[in-house]
Structure formats: structure tokens, C-alpha cells
Amino acid sequence: MIWASGWKLASAVSNAGGLGLIGSGSMYPDVLREHIQKCTLATNKPFGVNVPLLYPDIDKHIQIIIEEKVPIVFTSAGNPTTYTARLKQHGIIVVHVVSSSKFALKAQDAGCDAVVAEGFEAGGHNGREETTSFVLIPAVCEKVNIPVIAAGGIANGRQMLAAIILGANGVQIGSRFVASHEASSHINFKNAILNTAEGDTILSLKKLTPVRLLKNEFYQQVAAAEVMGAGKEELEQLLGRGRAKKGMFEGNLSEGELEIGQVSTLLKTIQPAGEIVSEIWQQYNRLVGLCCE
Ligand SMILES: Cc1cc2nc3c(=O)[nH]c(=O)nc-3n(C[C@H](O)[C@H](O)[C@H](O)COP(=O)(O)O)c2cc1C
């Protein structure tokens, strides 16, 4: 996750038994290399790198990932045919994030090893189709025969079990880890996440790249511009450069872009990432036990 998951969060999740991912989308190439090297020192367990295919510097990121021998790459926000074959030639496992069963099939055809089916509830960039996880997970599971990792609206063991019952083989969790000690997100943003109510997030900027945002002054400016009929260029100008950094990393809650999922309304504390992983596992295992009695 941009401005949230550096080596500290990724290694803490991997050390606790999850698969930690470094979010390369907010990193310059040399910063990414440093995070990979620090993560390698901080954990003996596997970890991966998430690569949003839309971002500049993508070629350099892919080269660094290959050079540093990262075993797993999650790609998102772009065409899976562009880099999958090259990564796989180097023995790297490739997982692509999709928001529809059509794109899931495309990822399978491109040779991806698994897909993340990310529903409309999720924080960050999201599909225009607005398909919720409850519909998307079974739809994708029916379409492809590679493993499906569910994402969007999952923050506890109960929700994880629901995703598995819907057909998923695993889950990807974002928002809950933004509210972790190890996330590099600003403390103002972490605290704001704990205070969200239902309806406080919305899928915005659909004319550019749709993204789920916390409703703040910046969002209100976007909404007002959209009502006045603003086109792509005007919205791009309003967004400007560095909005996401300003909000999520620098803690400017009114002028920054604040990406978070609907599930933030269920989050009540900022915890160590390892504690989050074990809480989710424990609740999941307890419920599985109850189901099987
Ligand atoms: C602050 C934030 C930044 C994110 N950045 C990325 C990203 O760079 N690449 C990506 O594939 N997904 C990104 N996501 C989406 C997450 O990887 C994950 O799929 C999503 O958060 C799952 O839904 P949830 O928020 O309901 O847990 C981001 C999510 C958040 C909240």
C-alpha cells in the first residue's frame, strides 16, 4: 500500500505468518531497493512487492525486483500481459489484482499464478464496475482455475471465513494494516481511520483512476468540480502532484488524498501488525472449529 507498507510493515506481517508486501507505488527506485534489502534482513520468511503498473519508473522497479531476487510480485492497476512473462522467466510468482471476472480471466491467460479479487469496498484504487466482494469473489472463482485471493472489506477472522466460504483460497487485507504501528502512514491519518463512520468513504475520481477516499475537504473539492462537469484534465489539475503523500504520509487531513476502505468503520485501535495477524488467525480458527463441530 502506497505511503503505508514499507519494509517495517511487510517484515512484521511476514514474521507473524502472513505474506507481507512492500508497496512500491510511492517509492523511487533507489528507495524500493533499500526497502527490499532491509526487509530481507528483518525476516527469514517470504515477502513480496506490490507494483502498480500505472506508475512511472515501472521498468526500473521490475529490474530491481529481479536483481534483489524478490520471490513474489503482486501487480495491479494495469495490463498483466506486460510484465508477467518476464517476471516468471526469473522464477518469480506473479499475482495480479482484478476488480472483475473478465480481468481475472485476462490475468490467467497472461500466465499469472493467482489473482486478487478486490471488491468495491476496498481502500485504494478500485474498479469502475463497483462489484462488491460478496458478488465478485464467487464470480471470479467460477471463471478461473488459478487460486483466488479475496480483498475488500476484510479485517477480521469472521470476514476471512466468509471469503473462504465464498470460494477464495486466501485473503489480502489492506485498511486494517494502515492502522498498525509499523505502517508508515502519518499518525493523524491512523487516528482519522479509527473515527470513521459508515458512509465516510466513497469511490471518487472515476473519470481518472477510481479510488476509495475518506470524505474530507479535498474530496469535497473533487465532488464540486465533478458536479460542475469537470473533465479529466481539470480533475488532473485539481489532484496535482503529491496529494496522496500530503494526506497519508504528511498527515494533512484536509488537503491531502486519504485512501481507505469501508471496513475502517470497524477499526477501533492501532495495533502491532503481528498482533493483527494473530488475532485474525485465532478468530478464524475458532470459527472454523465451531463450524466443524
Ligand atoms: C492506503 C492504501 C494504499 C493502497 N495502495 C495500493 C497499491 O499501491 N497497490 C495495490 O495493488 N493496492 C493498494 N491498495 C489496496 C490494498 O492492497 C488492498 O487490496 C485493499 O486495501 C483491500 O481492501 P481493504 O482496504 O478493505 O482491506 C491500497 C489500500 C490502501 C488502504
PDB file of all heavy atoms in Angstrom, residues 1-2 50 52 76 118 122-124 151-154 172-175 178 248 259 263, ligand 1:
ATOM      1  N   MET A   1       0.845  -1.204   0.000  1.00  0.00           N
ATOM      2  CA  MET A   1       0.000   0.000   0.000  1.00  0.00           C
ATOM      3  C   MET A   1       0.870   1.239   0.000  1.00  0.00           C
ATOM      4  O   MET A   1       1.774   1.356   0.828  1.00  0.00           O
ATOM      5  CB  MET A   1      -0.878   0.003   1.251  1.00  0.00           C
ATOM      6  CG  MET A   1      -1.902  -1.125   1.256  1.00  0.00           C
ATOM      7  SD  MET A   1      -2.883  -1.111   2.737  1.00  0.00           S
ATOM      8  CE  MET A   1      -1.717  -1.675   3.964  1.00  0.00           C
ATOM      9  N   ILE A   2       0.588   2.156  -0.946  1.00  0.00           N
ATOM     10  CA  ILE A   2       1.402   3.367  -1.024  1.00  0.00           C
ATOM     11  C   ILE A   2       1.339   4.135   0.292  1.00  0.00           C
ATOM     12  O   ILE A   2       0.318   4.190   0.945  1.00  0.00           O
ATOM     13  CB  ILE A   2       0.994   4.280  -2.199  1.00  0.00           C
ATOM     14  CG1 ILE A   2      -0.499   4.633  -2.141  1.00  0.00           C
ATOM     15  CG2 ILE A   2       1.338   3.643  -3.532  1.00  0.00           C
ATOM     16  CD1 ILE A   2      -0.851   5.835  -3.001  1.00  0.00           C
ATOM     17  N   ASN A  50       4.412  -5.151  -4.142  1.00  0.00           N
ATOM     18  CA  ASN A  50       3.264  -4.785  -4.973  1.00  0.00           C
ATOM     19  C   ASN A  50       3.700  -3.697  -5.955  1.00  0.00           C
ATOM     20  O   ASN A  50       4.311  -2.705  -5.560  1.00  0.00           O
ATOM     21  CB  ASN A  50       2.117  -4.262  -4.099  1.00  0.00           C
ATOM     22  CG  ASN A  50       0.969  -3.715  -4.946  1.00  0.00           C
ATOM     23  OD1 ASN A  50       1.037  -2.585  -5.425  1.00  0.00           O
ATOM     24  ND2 ASN A  50      -0.049  -4.507  -5.149  1.00  0.00           N
ATOM     25  N   PRO A  52       2.109  -1.260  -8.777  1.00  0.00           N
ATOM     26  CA  PRO A  52       1.016  -0.709  -9.594  1.00  0.00           C
ATOM     27  C   PRO A  52       1.570  -0.396 -10.989  1.00  0.00           C
ATOM     28  O   PRO A  52       2.501   0.381 -11.129  1.00  0.00           O
ATOM     29  CB  PRO A  52       0.605   0.564  -8.844  1.00  0.00           C
ATOM     30  CG  PRO A  52       1.253   0.475  -7.497  1.00  0.00           C
ATOM     31  CD  PRO A  52       2.496  -0.342  -7.695  1.00  0.00           C
ATOM     32  N   SER A  76      -0.801  -4.582 -10.120  1.00  0.00           N
ATOM     33  CA  SER A  76      -2.164  -4.033 -10.072  1.00  0.00           C
ATOM     34  C   SER A  76      -2.258  -2.857 -11.019  1.00  0.00           C
ATOM     35  O   SER A  76      -1.235  -2.379 -11.525  1.00  0.00           O
ATOM     36  CB  SER A  76      -2.488  -3.578  -8.640  1.00  0.00           C
ATOM     37  OG  SER A  76      -1.621  -2.533  -8.248  1.00  0.00           O
ATOM     38  N   GLU A 118     -10.581  -8.008  -5.901  1.00  0.00           N
ATOM     39  CA  GLU A 118     -10.718  -6.890  -4.962  1.00  0.00           C
ATOM     40  C   GLU A 118     -12.056  -6.182  -5.164  1.00  0.00           C
ATOM     41  O   GLU A 118     -12.316  -5.584  -6.197  1.00  0.00           O
ATOM     42  CB  GLU A 118      -9.562  -5.904  -5.175  1.00  0.00           C
ATOM     43  CG  GLU A 118      -9.507  -4.831  -4.119  1.00  0.00           C
ATOM     44  CD  GLU A 118      -8.493  -3.749  -4.461  1.00  0.00           C
ATOM     45  OE1 GLU A 118      -8.605  -3.175  -5.558  1.00  0.00           O
ATOM     46  OE2 GLU A 118      -7.609  -3.492  -3.655  1.00  0.00           O
ATOM     47  N   ALA A 122     -13.048  -1.933  -1.023  1.00  0.00           N
ATOM     48  CA  ALA A 122     -11.623  -1.833  -0.690  1.00  0.00           C
ATOM     49  C   ALA A 122     -11.094  -0.404  -0.691  1.00  0.00           C
ATOM     50  O   ALA A 122     -11.574   0.452  -1.440  1.00  0.00           O
ATOM     51  CB  ALA A 122     -10.810  -2.650  -1.701  1.00  0.00           C
ATOM     52  N   GLY A 123     -10.071  -0.174   0.118  1.00  0.00           N
ATOM     53  CA  GLY A 123      -9.348   1.085   0.070  1.00  0.00           C
ATOM     54  C   GLY A 123      -8.445   1.114  -1.146  1.00  0.00           C
ATOM     55  O   GLY A 123      -8.115   0.077  -1.712  1.00  0.00           O
ATOM     56  N   GLY A 124      -8.045   2.300  -1.573  1.00  0.00           N
ATOM     57  CA  GLY A 124      -7.142   2.436  -2.713  1.00  0.00           C
ATOM     58  C   GLY A 124      -7.872   2.399  -4.041  1.00  0.00           C
ATOM     59  O   GLY A 124      -9.094   2.559  -4.104  1.00  0.00           O
ATOM     60  N   ALA A 151     -10.110  -9.740  -1.562  1.00  0.00           N
ATOM     61  CA  ALA A 151      -9.745  -8.477  -0.892  1.00  0.00           C
ATOM     62  C   ALA A 151     -10.935  -7.529  -0.934  1.00  0.00           C
ATOM     63  O   ALA A 151     -11.764  -7.591  -1.841  1.00  0.00           O
ATOM     64  CB  ALA A 151      -8.546  -7.834  -1.587  1.00  0.00           C
ATOM     65  N   GLY A 152     -10.967  -6.649   0.056  1.00  0.00           N
ATOM     66  CA  GLY A 152     -12.027  -5.637   0.093  1.00  0.00           C
ATOM     67  C   GLY A 152     -13.017  -5.932   1.193  1.00  0.00           C
ATOM     68  O   GLY A 152     -13.827  -6.849   1.081  1.00  0.00           O
ATOM     69  N   GLY A 153     -12.914  -5.184   2.290  1.00  0.00           N
ATOM     70  CA  GLY A 153     -13.877  -5.345   3.379  1.00  0.00           C
ATOM     71  C   GLY A 153     -13.528  -6.466   4.340  1.00  0.00           C
ATOM     72  O   GLY A 153     -14.403  -6.932   5.081  1.00  0.00           O
ATOM     73  N   ILE A 154     -12.264  -6.894   4.350  1.00  0.00           N
ATOM     74  CA  ILE A 154     -11.871  -7.991   5.250  1.00  0.00           C
ATOM     75  C   ILE A 154     -10.901  -7.429   6.303  1.00  0.00           C
ATOM     76  O   ILE A 154      -9.829  -6.924   5.959  1.00  0.00           O
ATOM     77  CB  ILE A 154     -11.212  -9.143   4.460  1.00  0.00           C
ATOM     78  CG1 ILE A 154     -12.179  -9.657   3.391  1.00  0.00           C
ATOM     79  CG2 ILE A 154     -10.796 -10.282   5.411  1.00  0.00           C
ATOM     80  CD1 ILE A 154     -11.536 -10.539   2.341  1.00  0.00           C
ATOM     81  N   GLN A 172      -6.438 -10.896   1.106  1.00  0.00           N
ATOM     82  CA  GLN A 172      -5.492  -9.771   1.168  1.00  0.00           C
ATOM     83  C   GLN A 172      -6.166  -8.677   1.999  1.00  0.00           C
ATOM     84  O   GLN A 172      -7.302  -8.298   1.727  1.00  0.00           O
ATOM     85  CB  GLN A 172      -5.199  -9.251  -0.243  1.00  0.00           C
ATOM     86  CG  GLN A 172      -4.425  -7.935  -0.245  1.00  0.00           C
ATOM     87  CD  GLN A 172      -3.857  -7.584  -1.601  1.00  0.00           C
ATOM     88  OE1 GLN A 172      -2.932  -8.220  -2.077  1.00  0.00           O
ATOM     89  NE2 GLN A 172      -4.411  -6.555  -2.241  1.00  0.00           N
ATOM     90  N   ILE A 173      -5.449  -8.204   2.995  1.00  0.00           N
ATOM     91  CA  ILE A 173      -6.027  -7.229   3.925  1.00  0.00           C
ATOM     92  C   ILE A 173      -5.232  -5.935   3.846  1.00  0.00           C
ATOM     93  O   ILE A 173      -4.005  -5.958   3.965  1.00  0.00           O
ATOM     94  CB  ILE A 173      -6.010  -7.803   5.362  1.00  0.00           C
ATOM     95  CG1 ILE A 173      -6.898  -9.065   5.402  1.00  0.00           C
ATOM     96  CG2 ILE A 173      -6.461  -6.761   6.385  1.00  0.00           C
ATOM     97  CD1 ILE A 173      -6.870  -9.800   6.720  1.00  0.00           C
ATOM     98  N   GLY A 174      -5.922  -4.817   3.616  1.00  0.00           N
ATOM     99  CA  GLY A 174      -5.227  -3.544   3.490  1.00  0.00           C
ATOM    100  C   GLY A 174      -5.495  -2.600   4.647  1.00  0.00           C
ATOM    101  O   GLY A 174      -4.645  -2.373   5.496  1.00  0.00           O
ATOM    102  N   SER A 175      -6.721  -2.069   4.681  1.00  0.00           N
ATOM    103  CA  SER A 175      -7.043  -0.978   5.612  1.00  0.00           C
ATOM    104  C   SER A 175      -6.640  -1.282   7.050  1.00  0.00           C
ATOM    105  O   SER A 175      -6.103  -0.420   7.750  1.00  0.00           O
ATOM    106  CB  SER A 175      -8.542  -0.675   5.553  1.00  0.00           C
ATOM    107  OG  SER A 175      -8.863  -0.158   4.291  1.00  0.00           O
ATOM    108  N   VAL A 178      -3.151  -0.417   7.711  1.00  0.00           N
ATOM    109  CA  VAL A 178      -2.781   1.003   7.700  1.00  0.00           C
ATOM    110  C   VAL A 178      -2.829   1.519   9.147  1.00  0.00           C
ATOM    111  O   VAL A 178      -2.021   2.341   9.557  1.00  0.00           O
ATOM    112  CB  VAL A 178      -3.720   1.825   6.782  1.00  0.00           C
ATOM    113  CG1 VAL A 178      -3.294   3.290   6.773  1.00  0.00           C
ATOM    114  CG2 VAL A 178      -3.715   1.280   5.362  1.00  0.00           C
ATOM    115  N   MET A 248      -1.679  11.008   3.363  1.00  0.00           N
ATOM    116  CA  MET A 248      -1.434   9.753   4.086  1.00  0.00           C
ATOM    117  C   MET A 248      -0.072   9.726   4.792  1.00  0.00           C
ATOM    118  O   MET A 248       0.071   9.105   5.831  1.00  0.00           O
ATOM    119  CB  MET A 248      -1.554   8.573   3.118  1.00  0.00           C
ATOM    120  CG  MET A 248      -2.964   8.466   2.552  1.00  0.00           C
ATOM    121  SD  MET A 248      -3.227   6.990   1.575  1.00  0.00           S
ATOM    122  CE  MET A 248      -2.521   7.454   0.026  1.00  0.00           C
ATOM    123  N   GLU A 259      -6.631   7.524   1.253  1.00  0.00           N
ATOM    124  CA  GLU A 259      -7.185   6.279   0.697  1.00  0.00           C
ATOM    125  C   GLU A 259      -7.445   5.292   1.830  1.00  0.00           C
ATOM    126  O   GLU A 259      -6.521   4.930   2.557  1.00  0.00           O
ATOM    127  CB  GLU A 259      -6.189   5.664  -0.293  1.00  0.00           C
ATOM    128  CG  GLU A 259      -5.847   6.598  -1.444  1.00  0.00           C
ATOM    129  CD  GLU A 259      -4.911   5.953  -2.464  1.00  0.00           C
ATOM    130  OE1 GLU A 259      -4.684   4.737  -2.401  1.00  0.00           O
ATOM    131  OE2 GLU A 259      -4.415   6.685  -3.327  1.00  0.00           O
ATOM    132  N   VAL A 263     -14.199  -0.732   5.433  1.00  0.00           N
ATOM    133  CA  VAL A 263     -14.053  -1.520   6.661  1.00  0.00           C
ATOM    134  C   VAL A 263     -13.424  -0.700   7.793  1.00  0.00           C
ATOM    135  O   VAL A 263     -13.459  -1.111   8.957  1.00  0.00           O
ATOM    136  CB  VAL A 263     -13.237  -2.798   6.349  1.00  0.00           C
ATOM    137  CG1 VAL A 263     -11.735  -2.510   6.273  1.00  0.00           C
ATOM    138  CG2 VAL A 263     -13.530  -3.911   7.329  1.00  0.00           C
TER     139      VAL A 263
HETATM  140  C1  LIG B   1      -3.720   3.420   1.835  1.00  0.00           C
HETATM  141  C2  LIG B   1      -3.884   2.311   0.822  1.00  0.00           C
HETATM  142  C3  LIG B   1      -2.980   2.231  -0.215  1.00  0.00           C
HETATM  143  C4  LIG B   1      -3.094   1.199  -1.159  1.00  0.00           C
HETATM  144  N1  LIG B   1      -2.165   1.111  -2.161  1.00  0.00           N
HETATM  145  C5  LIG B   1      -2.220   0.079  -3.030  1.00  0.00           C
HETATM  146  C6  LIG B   1      -1.218  -0.078  -4.023  1.00  0.00           C
HETATM  147  O1  LIG B   1      -0.270   0.684  -4.120  1.00  0.00           O
HETATM  148  N2  LIG B   1      -1.335  -1.152  -4.874  1.00  0.00           N
HETATM  149  C7  LIG B   1      -2.380  -2.040  -4.788  1.00  0.00           C
HETATM  150  O2  LIG B   1      -2.444  -3.002  -5.561  1.00  0.00           O
HETATM  151  N3  LIG B   1      -3.341  -1.898  -3.856  1.00  0.00           N
HETATM  152  C8  LIG B   1      -3.275  -0.881  -2.979  1.00  0.00           C
HETATM  153  N4  LIG B   1      -4.240  -0.760  -2.015  1.00  0.00           N
HETATM  154  C9  LIG B   1      -5.280  -1.797  -1.908  1.00  0.00           C
HETATM  155  C10 LIG B   1      -4.829  -2.885  -0.931  1.00  0.00           C
HETATM  156  O3  LIG B   1      -3.713  -3.547  -1.439  1.00  0.00           O
HETATM  157  C11 LIG B   1      -5.928  -3.925  -0.651  1.00  0.00           C
HETATM  158  O4  LIG B   1      -6.254  -4.656  -1.813  1.00  0.00           O
HETATM  159  C12 LIG B   1      -7.185  -3.280  -0.112  1.00  0.00           C
HETATM  160  O5  LIG B   1      -6.872  -2.359   0.894  1.00  0.00           O
HETATM  161  C13 LIG B   1      -8.083  -4.382   0.447  1.00  0.00           C
HETATM  162  O6  LIG B   1      -9.279  -3.873   0.928  1.00  0.00           O
HETATM  163  P1  LIG B   1      -9.483  -3.324   2.440  1.00  0.00           P
HETATM  164  O7  LIG B   1      -8.936  -1.926   2.413  1.00  0.00           O
HETATM  165  O8  LIG B   1     -10.947  -3.352   2.618  1.00  0.00           O
HETATM  166  O9  LIG B   1      -8.720  -4.233   3.351  1.00  0.00           O
HETATM  167  C14 LIG B   1      -4.151   0.260  -1.062  1.00  0.00           C
HETATM  168  C15 LIG B   1      -5.061   0.376   0.000  1.00  0.00           C
HETATM  169  C16 LIG B   1      -4.938   1.369   0.936  1.00  0.00           C
HETATM  170  C17 LIG B   1      -5.915   1.446   2.068  1.00  0.00           C
END
